[in-house]
Amino acid sequence: MRIFTAIVAAAALFAGAARAETIRVGVTAGPHAEIIEVVKKVAAERGLDIKVVEFTDYVIPNQALALKDLEANSFQHEPYLKNQISKTGWKIVKVANTIASPQGVYSLKYKKLADLPEGARVAIANDPSNGARGLMILALHGVIKLKDSNNVASTIADITDNPKKLRFVELDAAQLPRSLQDVDLVSINNNYAVQAGLNPATDAIAHESKDGPWVNIIAVREEDKDKPWVKQLVDAYHSQQVKEFLDKRFKGTYIATW
């Protein structure tokens, strides 16, 4: 009788496991990868199995999502997604906000922007939205002027005043931390900064405003946006467990937006 009961219990457990839906979620290495591991644990308790797929750049996660190699991704802000969609036509949509993290600029040579010499070399991301983000930080602090300081698609061509004659170098976002040794100032996305051992809250010499368009998001294919697993994923991300992890692990560098 005990053997029969054990077999029935095991069968029930197996059937429950079989019913758990599995989705693949793409993230970039660093904080987004750390956060999704907590989301994964919460989701598992609620019947959703998440397979984490880690990337080292910003381009492939959306491409993988569009090509159905992922069900969702969590690594980008909405301006970046919109920029990629404008070029590719991918049917990808935002389904939830995740975290906010005021980005900073870093220097190994200078402690404040006012110390930058004439002709200083400044490295920014070579993708349009994150490149704009770096320029907007400098404009916010009066180092340069832009045609429209709120334009999330600003480029070097939109600089209308550059009194220090700064020289801009555009690099892949993932390579920016390495350029600290070679240039005078670098604008680094926070996930790459943290991955490189920098603390955006204390090591950056200037930050963008907390009230900006750069809130990170969860994205899925448009055809999937109303599927039940999407709500499960969002609810797991927006859980108290994840919020507590953010507070404890990142101490204000990454902030819950829900």
Side-chain angles (χ1 to χ4, degrees):
M1 182 66 179
R2 288 180 180 176
I3 294 175
F4 176 76
T5 302
I7 291 173
V8 171
L13 182 62
F14 178 80
R19 284 196 298 270
E21 187 158 11
T22 299
I23 63 168
R24 298 161 296 178
V25 180
V27 295
T28 44
H32 288 295
E34 291 187 48
I35 296 166
I36 204 66
E37 289 296 337
V38 181
V39 176
K40 178 179 179 177
K41 291 178 183 178
V42 176
E45 295 170 356
R46 303 179 182 187
L48 179 66
D49 177 45
I50 294 176
K51 179 181 178 182
V52 178
V53 183
E54 197 168 306
F55 298 88
T56 58
D57 68 19
Y58 286 162
V59 177
I60 304 301
N62 280 330
Q63 183 181 52
L65 180 57
L67 294 176
K68 299 188 176 182
D69 292 324
L70 301 172
E71 279 65 58
N73 64 41
S74 176
F75 76 101
Q76 65 192 324
H77 46 66
E78 195 169 12
Y80 180 81
L81 174 61
K82 288 181 176 178
N83 180 268
Q84 285 216 314
I85 290 173
S86 72
K87 294 178 178 179
T88 62
W90 289 331
K91 302 297 183 182
I92 299 174
V93 297
K94 162 192 165 182
V95 291
N97 288 339
T98 56
I99 55 175
S101 184
Q103 187 171 304
V105 290
Y106 301 80
S107 177
L108 297 181
K109 301 176 183 178
Y110 307 103
K111 294 185 177 180
K112 52 187 178 180
L113 292 176
D115 294 337
L116 286 174
E118 185 171 310
R121 298 179 72 214
V122 179
I124 62 174
N126 63 3
D127 65 86
S129 60
N130 287 304
R133 197 171 182 180
L135 295 174
M136 290 169 73
I137 295 174
L138 297 180
L140 175 67
H141 293 277
V143 180
I144 62 172
K145 289 184 180 179
L146 297 169
K147 289 179 183 177
D148 178 358
S149 60
N150 295 313
N151 179 11
V152 296
S154 293
T155 68
I156 293 171
D158 294 311
I159 297 174
T160 58
D161 190 22
N162 182 8
K164 287 181 178 286
K165 297 181 174 59
L166 301 179
R167 295 175 293 160
F168 290 91
V169 180
E170 295 177 285
L171 301 171
D172 181 82
Q175 304 303 317
L176 287 168
R178 298 180 188 176
S179 71
L180 268 170
Q181 301 285 345
D182 304 317
V183 300
D184 299 292
L185 186 74
V186 189
S187 173
I188 306 176
N189 290 71
N190 283 358
N191 61 312
Y192 290 130
V194 171
Q195 193 177 342
L198 297 167
N199 183 332
T202 57
D203 293 333
I205 65 171
H207 295 86
E208 65 192 2
S209 169
K210 293 181 180 179
D211 303 319
W214 312 106
V215 175
N216 286 288
I217 63 172
I218 295 172
V220 303
R221 288 185 297 279
E222 188 173 11
E223 65 193 64
D224 292 337
K225 64 183 177 66
D226 295 320
K227 289 186 177 178
W229 61 260
V230 174
K231 185 177 187 305
Q232 286 181 285
L233 172 60
V234 173
D235 287 348
Y237 203 116
H238 289 182
S239 64
Q240 186 63 27
Q241 294 98 312
V242 173
K243 190 171 184 178
E244 289 174 357
F245 172 77
L246 289 170
D247 291 343
K248 182 177 180 179
R249 170 68 178 87
F250 298 110
K251 297 178 174 60
T253 300
Y254 289 89
I255 306 163
T257 60
W258 63 90

